[in-house]
Amino acid sequence: MNSEHAHPTRRVVFQFLVPVHVEVEDGVVSAVTVIDETPVRDPTLVDGDPAYLNEAIRHADDGQAWPSWRFGY
């Protein structure tokens, strides 16, 4: 293990509202587009280290590509 990466992983999960574009055809949702350029506003801590929340929000809001999308719980 490389000692320069031997620090513990910091993890935080937060949620915030974003606009979505929903298309419905004949009563069936055919597409949902998340407008992901929306800046993080009024986040709610869900899990993890609350001390890391502000830094995590800065990273989430810095224009990097989102690593994955998951819908539903």
Side-chain angles (χ1 to χ4, degrees):
M1 176 183 216
N2 190 340
S3 63
E4 68 185 15
H5 297 293
H7 60 79
T9 301
R10 295 182 301 161
R11 179 177 183 275
V12 67
V13 178
F14 64 91
Q15 64 187 28
F16 65 103
L17 298 177
V18 296
V20 296
H21 177 101
V22 180
E23 296 178 37
V24 179
E25 297 174 2
D26 294 327
V28 176
V29 175
S30 58
V32 176
T33 305
V34 176
I35 303 171
D36 64 351
E37 294 88 11
T38 303
V40 176
R41 296 288 182 260
D42 302 319
T44 301
L45 179 69
V46 175
D47 187 33
D49 181 1
Y52 182 46
L53 180 60
N54 288 333
E55 185 178 345
I57 291 166
R58 283 193 305 275
H59 289 299
D61 231 2
D62 74 357
Q64 64 182 298
W66 289 85
S68 65
W69 293 102
R70 249 187 331 197
F71 294 95
Y73 286 98

